[in-house]
Amino acid sequence: MKIAVCSAHPYDRQFLQEANATFGHELSFFDARLNEETRQMVAGFPAICAFVNDTLNEAVLQALAQQGTQLIALRCAGFNNVDLAAAARHGIRIVRVPAYSPHSIAEHTLALILTLNRKTHRAYNRVRDGNFSLDGLLGFELRGRTIGIIGTGRIGLATAEILRGFGCRLLAHDPYPNPECLALGARYVTLDELYRESDLITLHCPLNQESFHLINAAAIGKMKRGVTIINTSRGAVIDTPAVIAALKSGRIGGLGLDVYEQEGDLFFQDLSCQVIQDDMFERLLSFPNVLITGHQGFFTAEALASIARTTLDNVRVFEQSGLCPNEVTTALVR
Ligand SMILES: NC(=O)c1ccc[n+]([C@@H]2O[C@H](COP(=O)([O-])OP(=O)(O)OC[C@H]3O[C@@H](n4cnc5c(N)ncnc54)[C@H](O)[C@@H]3O)[C@@H](O)[C@H]2O)c1
């Protein structure tokens, strides 16, 4: 099938081309993101391969349908950037990669936790500068700490497995408790109890109506003073101004982010020679106890190979049968 790959980086080309050796699709790569201004570049492609910051709203989907697109193959798990109702109205089917390597994101979550806690990023710079002072590098032991996990699907569970190995006490919150998480010894509690008890809270729920700005001033007000918050899910699960206020007051003692609500204007590009216009993002960067990575939780060789295989297979199955094993519909939003 003819597939337009949007937001294509060198690593996307590499892994999709390698996987395509066994599928034989006709791949065309576009560096640009898909949005209302760029939609014409993919005119005539029956399938479009999109990523997290491509815009798939009503206007874009309507235009794509008119241009002949039948299928959008997301090369990611999250689908909050797609207006699913509009896709259905315009007869465009959406498929995704529901599970590639939850361990990639779980392990990155641990990288954020350990770096933030033991301040290895700051120590690295100090030691290179001949500064061997330990002042300001004090951490805490994870063993025996209470960790609150919000969202215990694939990534939340993989994170729980690792944290259990560290000897943490696990609290969990999810409208659908996961038996495997229970088997690890996690206790499902209300959000209020999780906020009250947790030394560290890690977010692994999708972005939906219930989780939008879940971590806001009211929620933070219920947390332990000095709590650490880690977000590798989606940026808008956190209300950034509320978190900035809590960092300033010391209510939040550490913040590790792999995602950011306005990341669409920043991430996946080199802006190192430009003036960043996002003042909220710059304020976050100014805190010594904030660590931000640019949505790289998924970025392992294993995950990229698996994403490429599943994406191309989703298109193959659609082309051959019109069925989509990994189809996303409004029924999936819970
Ligand atoms: N940083 C990255 O690179 C990266 C990569 C992949 C996925 N993600 C994010 O991680 C999220 C989780 O991925 P997954 O594969 O574990 O998904 P999943 O569907 O396996 O699990 C999500 C879990 O969250 C629960 N949930 C839904 N709404 C909730 C709420 N309001 N409060 C608490 N729990 C809620 C669901 O019941 C489910 O158990 C994705 O939606 C995506 O946003 C990030």
Side-chain angles (χ1 to χ4, degrees), residues 33-111:
R33 287 187 188 170
L34 179 60
N35 55 38
E36 284 163 50
E37 281 151 30
T38 61
R39 59 191 166 77
Q40 288 231 311
M41 77 185 176
V42 296
F45 282 91
I48 289 171
C49 177
F51 195 51
V52 292
N53 289 319
D54 288 311
T55 304
L56 293 158
N57 60 15
E58 167 88 52
V60 173
L61 289 164
Q62 184 178 13
L64 294 182
Q66 284 163 1
Q67 292 175 182
T69 295
Q70 303 155 26
L71 180 73
I72 290 175
L74 299 170
R75 54 180 190 280
C76 53
F79 48 87
N80 53 285
N81 56 330
V82 186
D83 183 337
L84 294 176
R89 268 197 302 282
H90 297 294
I92 293 183
R93 311 273 289 276
I94 311 288
V95 290
R96 65 167 178 153
V97 184
Y100 36 95
S101 180
H103 302 285
S104 295
I105 298 97
E107 288 176 14
H108 190 71
T109 302
L110 260 294

Side-chain angles (χ1 to χ4, degrees), residues 115-165:
T115 306
L116 199 54
N117 175 22
R118 303 305 296 265
K119 301 165 182 68
T120 43
H121 55 318
R122 307 191 76 197
Y124 171 82
N125 286 322
R126 275 191 199 187
V127 170
R128 284 174 74 89
D129 199 30
N131 175 359
F132 303 101
S133 161
L134 298 182
D135 291 338
L137 300 184
L138 191 68
F140 56 83
E141 282 188 13
L142 280 174
R143 184 179 170 77
R145 294 278 167 169
T146 300
I147 312 286
I149 303 175
I150 299 183
T152 52
R154 299 174 192 94
I155 298 171
L157 173 65
T159 305
E161 281 169 353
I162 302 173
L163 287 168
R164 186 169 175 258

Side-chain angles (χ1 to χ4, degrees), residues 195 214-223:
Y195 292 152
L214 181 73
I215 305 302
N216 56 19
I220 295 165
K222 296 174 186 169
M223 295 176 192

Side-chain angles (χ1 to χ4, degrees), residues 27-328:
L27 303 180
S28 298
F29 294 93
F30 297 91
D31 296 349
R33 287 187 188 170
L34 179 60
N35 55 38
E36 284 163 50
E37 281 151 30
T38 61
R39 59 191 166 77
Q40 288 231 311
M41 77 185 176
V42 296
F45 282 91
I48 289 171
C49 177
F51 195 51
V52 292
N53 289 319
D54 288 311
T55 304
L56 293 158
N57 60 15
E58 167 88 52
V60 173
L61 289 164
Q62 184 178 13
L64 294 182
Q66 284 163 1
Q67 292 175 182
T69 295
Q70 303 155 26
L71 180 73
I72 290 175
L74 299 170
R75 54 180 190 280
C76 53
F79 48 87
N80 53 285
N81 56 330
V82 186
D83 183 337
L84 294 176
R89 268 197 302 282
H90 297 294
I92 293 183
R93 311 273 289 276
I94 311 288
V95 290
R96 65 167 178 153
V97 184
Y100 36 95
S101 180
H103 302 285
S104 295
I105 298 97
E107 288 176 14
H108 190 71
T109 302
L110 260 294
L112 289 177
I113 293 173
L114 291 172
T115 306
L116 199 54
N117 175 22
R118 303 305 296 265
K119 301 165 182 68
T120 43
H121 55 318
R122 307 191 76 197
Y124 171 82
N125 286 322
R126 275 191 199 187
V127 170
R128 284 174 74 89
D129 199 30
N131 175 359
F132 303 101
S133 161
L134 298 182
D135 291 338
L137 300 184
L138 191 68
F140 56 83
E141 282 188 13
L142 280 174
R143 184 179 170 77
R145 294 278 167 169
T146 300
I147 312 286
I149 303 175
I150 299 183
T152 52
R154 299 174 192 94
I155 298 171
L157 173 65
T159 305
E161 281 169 353
I162 302 173
L163 287 168
R164 186 169 175 258
F166 275 85
C168 299
R169 175 178 168 243
L170 302 178
L171 297 181
H173 181 82
D174 192 308
Y176 301 90
N178 183 336
E180 289 182 73
C181 214
L182 281 167
L184 287 174
R187 195 160 63 83
Y188 279 87
V189 294
T190 61
L191 273 180
D192 277 4
E193 187 175 349
L194 184 144
Y195 292 152
R196 198 170 56 240
E197 297 279 317
S198 300
D199 299 298
L200 184 150
I201 294 172
T202 182
L203 305 173
H204 301 290
C205 55
L207 175 61
N208 53 30
Q209 274 179 353
E210 286 74 45
S211 66
F212 177 77
H213 286 186
L214 181 73
I215 305 302
N216 56 19
I220 295 165
K222 296 174 186 169
M223 295 176 192
K224 279 190 183 178
R225 188 171 178 80
V227 64
T228 296
I229 297 177
I230 306 290
N231 187 11
T232 60
S233 63
R234 283 293 181 266
V237 176
I238 282 183
D239 175 2
T240 310
V243 160
I244 288 174
L247 282 160
K248 285 168 79 175
S249 71
R251 280 208 72 84
I252 293 181
L255 178 69
L257 301 179
D258 187 45
V259 287
Y260 170 65
E261 186 167 4
Q262 313 301 338
E263 70 177 51
D265 297 329
L266 300 170
F267 289 2
F268 305 119
Q269 49 193 330
D270 181 0
L271 302 178
S272 56
C273 295
Q274 293 183 34
V275 175
I276 304 279
Q277 297 298 326
D278 185 332
D279 291 346
M280 212 152 54
F281 188 76
E282 291 299 294
R283 183 67 182 103
L284 280 176
L285 288 182
S286 73
F287 292 102
N289 50 351
V290 172
L291 174 65
I292 306 181
T293 53
H295 205 141
Q296 67 175 81
F298 72 99
F299 201 59
T300 64
E302 291 82 357
L304 289 189
S306 169
I307 289 169
R309 260 195 321 273
T310 306
T311 301
L312 297 179
D313 195 48
N314 283 342
V315 178
R316 177 190 66 80
V317 175
F318 175 83
E319 190 178 21
Q320 290 176 355
S321 66
L323 292 171
C324 301
N326 293 321
E327 183 155 11
V328 189

